[in-house]
Amino acid sequence: MIKRYCAALLTLILLLASLPLHPAHAAAEVNLDSIADITPGHAVTISGTTSLDTITLKVVTPSSAVLYLNVLEVSSGSFTDSFTVPADAEEGSYAVVVGKGEKVGVTGFNVKKEVVAPPTPSPTPVPSSTPAPTSTPVSTLSPGVPSAVLPSASASPVPTATPAISGTVEVIAQAATNGVFRAEVTEELLKAAIQGTTGNTLTLDMIGGQEARQLELVLPARLIKEALTRKIENLRIDTSIASLILSTRALAGNIPNEAKVISLTLTIADQSILTAETASKLGNHEIIHYSLAVDGQELSSAGAGITRLLLKYKLESGQNPGKVIAYAIDSSGKAIIIKNGRYNAASQQVEAVPAGYNTFSAVYSGVSFNDTAKLVWANSSIEALAARGIINGTGGGGFKPNAKVTRAEFIKMLMGTFDFQATDAELSFKDAAAGAWYSEAIRTAHSLGIVQGGADGNFGINAEISRQDIAVMIYRAAKVLNAELGADQAGIKFKDEQRIAAYAVEAVGRMHASGIINGVSAGNFDPQGKATRAQSAVIIYNLYNVIKQ
């Protein structure tokens, strides 16, 4: 619990909406009262004392989502705020950060669902004259778990009634050969599960096989198409090796009408498939390979059906969750970073959306810089982006966090973070050279409406980017990404708001309300101020963290 709590606090620091856009080293001036554990659906009260006149309060869930955000005016040095934890809130450690800029207080609380013991039934009298029944084979499954194991040499019992299933089927993995465990879902059981599923996801949970090097799940092929006709879009496979969410539409597209069975296999692969560089990068971390076979014939397009990948990774004390990286391994054994991979502290898994690959690994990146550690407000964001290859150092082990950023440099970082795809458009700015290091990023951003350039037809390649222009670019990118943004809070005003250009007013308001960009000291926004490398990294990583996969 202590490690999970620390991980939650580290994640919160990454997401702080009130991060300053200039380096500072002021001491904390916020004291928070302790918060008792809470159950979903109940109110949480956050209180304390501070010398600040205005504070930002933020609560983040164990899975790094912003649950609650508010700005308070402080009266007589003390403050109190309350909100209700949603009834469907996840269990785990929630982090609370209150303050302004680097003057913050941090605490947390746990959300635990109440466990109500079932009533003990009254004993029922047993007639003494009832003759003892003949012996009946006893299932090895726990009550309520359908029998869906691979048939052994002896005949498997056939259910006498349709199992009551709602979205999840548990199957038992049995040892087949050395290191290989196998389970087969019967047609009767899968059909009942499909008919009993009310949502768009059917989950198959393989129980056992913790020592397995390979897990195989066998399903009746024709029922995959039936699942799709019943609007079941996703098939989730949970195993001791890894978890996958597959598109039933993609699976159905790979299954001929005459096919009888499909086999989904997860294998802990040997490092011999890797290049020397990749083997050095991955170290001793497991390599997970997924394959799909129809009637014993393996398909080369197996990776195309994976919509979400969940790899196990246990975060060690002191590790930054933003530096846990999901890698895809291509056919040549080369490792490719899956930039959208995020660590979920609650499940201890890296969740990622791969792009057609079917071999993966989760690794902690050791990247760090010798000039950012003291920037508590920015260091985690800088390292998280560097771990994904989005930003690089400047030589000699440094990052130069206080160096200014040009418009070309910023748009290159932004486009690289989200792997935007350009529509058909030419690079039309007068000062943008085709084939330059920035050209594809600017062309993509322009084609998507994220940048527009100046009235003179130039982009301003080497011009230092202003804070208000960053807000505009980030806002437009967020809309392209369909981000869920906070509404502009009319009560939050900057002292220098009259200096914000008309074209940037909405962007500044929405980005501020969403916790992606905030003001500087003394209640100002400083719209014409020039952003640094550290500030740009924080803003981009804040957007990254509000995007839902």
Side-chain angles (χ1 to χ4, degrees), residues 23 371-372 375 377-378 382 398-404 532-535:
D371 54 358
T372 63
L375 301 179
W377 58 274
I382 292 169
F399 181 73
K400 291 186 179 178
N402 297 323
K404 297 297 188 291
T532 66
R533 281 168 57 82
Q535 295 161 5

Side-chain angles (χ1 to χ4, degrees), residues 213 267-274 285-289 359:
R213 299 287 299 178
T267 305
I268 300 176
D270 190 271
Q271 285 211 344
S272 61
I273 69 171
L274 307 177
H285 293 281
E286 288 184 344
I287 305 157
I288 310 301
H289 177 74
T359 305

Side-chain angles (χ1 to χ4, degrees), residues 249-274:
R249 191 173 302 279
L251 283 176
N254 280 310
I255 300 173
N257 291 332
E258 66 277 9
K260 292 181 172 58
V261 296
I262 64 171
S263 300
L264 312 172
T265 303
L266 283 168
T267 305
I268 300 176
D270 190 271
Q271 285 211 344
S272 61
I273 69 171
L274 307 177

Side-chain angles (χ1 to χ4, degrees), residues 301-444:
S301 58
I306 303 174
T307 60
R308 187 172 294 257
L309 167 72
L310 301 98
L311 298 173
K312 298 179 185 297
Y313 184 89
K314 187 174 182 179
L315 197 71
E316 297 180 7
S317 177
Q319 288 188 336
N320 173 3
K323 292 167 65 175
V324 182
I325 304 300
Y327 282 99
I329 314 299
D330 68 13
S331 58
S332 68
K334 181 181 177 181
I336 299 162
I337 295 173
I338 306 176
K339 294 178 184 176
N340 59 55
R342 306 162 197 244
Y343 185 70
N344 186 325
S347 64
Q348 296 189 338
Q349 292 176 315
V350 185
E351 301 182 10
V353 180
Y357 297 98
N358 62 343
T359 305
F360 313 98
S361 187
V363 178
Y364 187 80
S365 170
V367 64
S368 64
F369 302 102
N370 58 26
D371 54 358
T372 63
K374 293 183 179 179
L375 301 179
V376 178
W377 58 274
N379 188 50
S380 293
S381 298
I382 292 169
E383 291 184 349
L385 293 183
R388 288 163 176 77
I390 296 166
I391 56 178
N392 298 299
T394 55
F399 181 73
K400 291 186 179 178
N402 297 323
K404 297 297 188 291
V405 175
T406 66
R407 287 170 56 85
E409 289 170 340
F410 182 81
I411 208 65
K412 174 73 172 176
M413 291 169 59
L414 181 59
M415 294 297 101
T417 302
F418 300 102
D419 289 331
F420 287 106
Q421 298 298 314
T423 59
D424 292 334
E426 295 182 358
L427 186 65
S428 56
F429 296 111
K430 295 177 181 178
D431 59 344
W437 59 269
Y438 54 74
S439 60
E440 186 60 24
I442 294 176
R443 185 181 76 85
T444 300

Side-chain angles (χ1 to χ4, degrees), residues 158-221:
V158 178
T160 57
T162 301
I165 303 170
S166 180
T168 300
V169 182
E170 292 182 336
V171 297
I172 308 299
Q174 291 187 329
T177 57
N178 293 337
V180 178
F181 282 68
R182 193 166 181 262
E184 183 172 349
V185 180
T186 65
E187 185 163 317
E188 179 185 19
L189 183 63
L190 186 58
K191 186 171 184 177
I194 291 170
Q195 293 173 346
T197 299
T198 56
N200 67 352
T201 300
L202 173 62
T203 299
L204 300 176
D205 188 3
M206 289 187 72
I207 307 299
Q210 278 72 18
E211 67 274 35
R213 299 287 299 178
Q214 183 179 95
L215 289 168
E216 181 184 6
L217 180 63
V218 182
L219 306 172

